[in-house]
């Protein structure tokens, strides 16, 4: 995994040198953060279409890894400091307040885990975990000029339970057009419903799977580290990359569903911006 991350980072750095010569400097995103895409060029409609390839754990707590191809981009409409977007299975709104606060609200769909997600049969007898509509509320606060340092807080809640995420990040070499590197660290907490959806084993599941019955308490879930990258290869083509490493707390890693005490993923992709 570490070797793969290094190879992708080297590849992205090489493209960064190429992109710095050919990239447009005209685009003016809502905030200059690589993790917050803005295809609108300051106002009106913006559309981006692309694909990304991820190498990631097969499910929460898995020791199996797999490649997955996902669509990238989205449809956006911006007026002033307000941006409305549709991306994947989420639709939402972002706004910038006083140049130092970024607020976001979005509605999405969270898919559940299936027994077939484990090719080694580690999930046999557990059935399918719940899926449902979720509401994401997020706020970011800038601590230095050009969003060089910022604090981040998110709450994801819905039929599947509630997840709280609190963190901080830094933007390295970020440009006004929203390109550069972003590095962050977060701490996550979950309620009992979400904890047992992902890592609990009820009586019926215990009988069917042979795993010990397990009830996971609400509270601390994990500590994570993430890297985001975005760059223009020319006026329309973007390359992006991301990597995540999440270390579980003892209550989660002690679950019989957890075959590893961490989750990891790395991805790279391209987007064509109209």
């Amino acid at each position: 995994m570490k070797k793969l991350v290094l190879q992708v980072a080297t590849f992205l750095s090489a493209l960064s040198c190429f992109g710095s010569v050919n990239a447009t400097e005209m685009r003016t995103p809502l905030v200059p953060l690589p993790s917050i895409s803005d295809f609108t060029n300051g106002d009106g409609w913006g559309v981006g279409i692309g694909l990304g390839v991820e190498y990631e754990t097969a499910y929460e707590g898995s020791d199996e890894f797999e490649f997955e191809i996902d669509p990238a981009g989205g449809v956006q409409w911006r007026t002033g400091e307000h941006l409305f977007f549709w991306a994947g299975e989420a639709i939402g709104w972002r706004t910038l307040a006083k140049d130092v606060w970024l607020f976001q609200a979005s509605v999405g769909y969270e898919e559940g885990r299936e027994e077939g997600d484990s090719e080694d049969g580690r999930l046999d007898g557990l059935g399918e975990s719940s899926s449902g509509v979720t509401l994401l509320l997020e706020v970011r606060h800038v601590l230095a000029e050009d969003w060089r340092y910022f604090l981040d807080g998110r709450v994801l809640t819905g039929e599947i339970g509630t997840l709280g995420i609190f963190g901080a990040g830094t933007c390295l070499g970020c440009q006004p057009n929203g390109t550069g590197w972003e590095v962050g660290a977060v701490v996550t907490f979950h309620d009992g419903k979400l904890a047992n959806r992902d890592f609990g084993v009820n009586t019926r599941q215990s009988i069917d799977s042979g795993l010990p019955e397990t009830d996971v308490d609400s509270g601390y879930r994990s500590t994570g580290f993430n890297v985001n990258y975005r760059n223009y290869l020319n006026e329309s083509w973007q390359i992006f990359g991301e990597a995540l490493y999440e270390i579980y707390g003892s209550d989660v890693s002690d679950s019989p569903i957890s075959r590893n005490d961490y989750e990891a993923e790395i991805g790279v992709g391209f987007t064509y911006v109209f």
Side-chain angles (χ1 to χ4, degrees):
M1 175 59 69
K2 292 181 179 179
K3 183 178 180 181
L4 180 59
V5 171
L6 179 60
Q7 290 174 338
V8 172
T10 302
F11 171 67
L12 293 177
S13 295
L15 284 173
S16 175
C17 295
F18 174 80
S20 63
V21 176
N22 296 279
T24 175
E25 296 296 333
M26 297 300 293
R27 296 189 182 275
T28 53
L30 195 62
V31 289
L33 297 177
S35 61
I36 305 294
S37 59
D38 182 349
F39 308 132
T40 65
N41 197 21
D43 205 13
W45 288 97
V47 179
I49 298 177
L51 285 176
V53 180
E54 294 183 343
Y55 182 68
E56 60 186 356
T57 49
Y59 57 90
E60 300 274 3
S62 175
D63 60 355
E64 303 169 56
F65 288 82
E66 62 183 13
F67 284 98
E68 182 174 335
I69 298 177
D70 294 313
V75 178
Q76 303 171 343
W77 183 72
R78 181 174 168 187
T79 175
E81 305 297 350
H82 300 275
L83 188 148
F84 301 87
F85 63 90
W86 170 49
E89 296 178 330
I91 183 169
W93 159 77
R94 297 187 185 113
T95 187
L96 185 64
K98 298 182 179 180
D99 294 325
V100 296
W101 293 95
L102 177 69
F103 296 98
Q104 174 174 314
S106 62
V107 177
Y109 185 79
E110 186 76 17
E111 296 182 358
R113 183 191 63 215
E114 300 179 356
E115 290 187 7
D117 289 342
S118 172
E119 295 184 357
D120 295 339
R122 302 282 177 80
L123 301 175
D124 290 353
L126 294 177
E128 182 177 341
S129 65
S130 60
S131 304
V133 176
T134 58
L135 171 66
L136 173 66
L137 301 174
E138 178 176 4
V139 57
R140 291 193 184 192
H141 179 57
V142 62
L143 298 176
E145 188 178 357
D146 297 327
W147 291 80
R148 179 65 184 272
Y149 302 103
F150 59 88
L151 299 177
D152 184 32
R154 282 166 278 172
V155 175
L156 179 72
T157 187
E159 302 169 78
I160 64 171
T162 301
L163 179 71
I165 305 172
F166 307 94
T170 181
C171 208
L172 304 176
C174 291
Q175 302 300 314
N177 64 357
T179 61
W181 293 87
E182 181 184 310
V183 180
V186 299
V187 178
T188 68
F189 300 85
H190 52 196
D191 68 356
K193 186 174 182 179
L194 182 61
N196 285 287
R197 169 190 181 266
D198 293 336
F199 301 104
V201 181
N202 61 34
T203 303
R204 181 74 263 172
Q205 291 173 323
S206 179
I207 295 172
D208 293 342
S209 67
L211 298 176
E213 191 171 344
T214 303
D215 182 73
V216 183
D217 293 333
S218 61
Y220 174 69
R221 180 184 179 100
S222 65
T223 297
F225 305 92
N226 60 277
V227 178
N228 286 279
Y229 170 83
R230 189 178 301 274
N231 196 48
Y232 281 99
L233 300 180
N234 55 40
E235 186 174 353
S236 297
W237 283 101
Q238 287 185 0
I239 181 173
F240 64 88
E242 55 187 14
L244 168 70
Y245 185 78
E246 185 178 2
I247 306 169
Y248 293 132
S250 58
D251 285 350
V252 172
S253 59
D254 288 344
S255 164
I257 294 178
S258 297
R259 302 289 176 164
N260 265 333
D261 60 359
Y262 70 89
E263 179 183 358
E265 68 177 63
I266 185 169
V268 64
F270 294 87
T271 305
Y272 182 84
V273 182
F274 292 86

